[in-house]
Each structure stands twice: as C-alpha cells, then as structure tokens.
Amino acid sequence: MAGIAAAGGIMLLNKVVRGRLPRWLTPVVAGLAMLAATISSEYGWFDRTANNMPDGFEVAKKVEDRAFYRPWTYAFPYVSRFMAVDTLSIRTNDAFEGQHMVEVAFFGRWAPVQLVPMLIDCPAAQQAELGGAEFGADGGIENANWAPLATDDGLYKIVCGGTA
C-alpha cells in the first residue's frame, strides 16, 4: 500500500507540474516508500506488541538483532524477540520458601507466542521449566532441569523482587 500511495502521489505531482518529472521517479519513490514502511514495521513491532500485552505482563528481556543484509541494523539494532513475565500468575508454596511458579511468555517477530511454566528458586538463583518436572512424595519438585539465573536478570528481578 505504501508503494501504491507513493506512486500515486508522484503521478499526481507530475500532473500538477505538467509532466516535467522524470519517468523513473515514480518507481524509485514507490520502492523507497515500501522499504521505509517495512523498516518502520520491523522497528515498531516491539513497542506495539509490548504496549498491547494483557495486564500483569512485564518485559523481562529483549533480544536485539543485526543482519548483514540490513546494514543499518549495525548502527540501530531492532528487537526481534522478547520474554515477558505474567506477574498475575506468580504462585508460591509456604513449604518451599523462595520458590515461585510463574508463566513466562516468549514473543518472536514472526513466531507464535509461547507460554512456558517456570519454577524460579530465588535463594539459589536458579530456574527450571516445569515441562518434565513432577511433584515428589515430599511435595517438592523432582526431575527439574535447573539452570543458573543471574540476579541481575530481568526474570529474577521481576519474580524475586531483585533480592536473593
């Protein structure tokens, strides 16, 4: 649509100036308009998506990309994916102090949103996906694949309040 609108604008301008514009200007301006619209869409995706998340979601981490076929991204990288925490889904168990279950959403520019239940152990600064985990006889989590979680990570700060 951007290309058609730009081409139409140039054709109208050419009528106004009685055909004095060069013929090559219409396709060049249409191409530049399409390129500008595409770049604008890529750079605006994160803000549009983050601003339209449901209540309770907080962005925990952003991933910025650069690509050789988009040379401007080396100066101005764009956000291609991000992780958000559903703060309304945070659950605790008094028997396991400092451990929280939470839903984490992974957003990608050209990918469907993935909701992943996670277990965060704040005192130990570690995380585990709950996909393969089970409750043991003592009520604790078994078969969890724990991974370290830095205390300066957005996920840790949101779920644990930034304190160990």
Side-chain angles (χ1 to χ4, degrees):
M1 290 307 296
I4 292 170
I10 292 297
M11 292 168 69
L12 183 62
L13 180 63
N14 199 27
K15 286 266 190 205
V16 171
V17 297
R18 296 190 180 121
R20 292 186 194 141
L21 296 177
R23 292 180 58 110
W24 56 264
L25 191 60
T26 301
V28 168
V29 169
L32 290 174
M34 290 186 288
L35 185 60
T38 301
I39 292 170
S40 173
S41 177
E42 289 293 315
Y43 279 92
W45 170 79
F46 169 71
D47 289 330
R48 283 190 313 273
T49 305
N51 290 333
N52 289 318
M53 289 189 302
D55 290 339
F57 276 78
E58 288 186 39
V59 174
K61 189 181 293 187
K62 299 185 289 187
V63 177
E64 293 182 337
D65 275 343
R66 294 171 176 85
F68 74 91
Y69 54 87
R70 296 175 179 157
W72 58 88
T73 60
Y74 288 98
F76 306 102
Y78 67 99
V79 177
S80 63
R81 56 191 190 273
F82 68 95
M83 177 176 71
V85 176
D86 180 2
T87 60
L88 301 178
S89 76
I90 297 174
R91 297 180 302 278
T92 58
N93 183 339
D94 293 336
F96 299 96
E97 190 172 330
Q99 289 188 358
H100 306 280
M101 288 176 47
V102 64
E103 293 283 332
V104 178
F106 293 91
F107 292 81
R109 176 68 174 111
W110 298 107
V113 177
Q114 294 180 335
L115 281 174
V116 177
M118 302 275 297
L119 182 62
I120 309 298
D121 187 342
C122 295
Q126 58 185 2
Q127 64 184 345
E129 286 187 29
L130 290 176
E134 307 172 339
F135 286 107
D138 64 351
I141 301 291
E142 293 181 353
N143 300 326
N145 188 12
W146 290 101
L149 179 63
T151 56
D152 63 347
D153 188 280
L155 177 60
Y156 184 90
K157 288 179 179 178
I158 292 169
V159 176
C160 301
T163 58

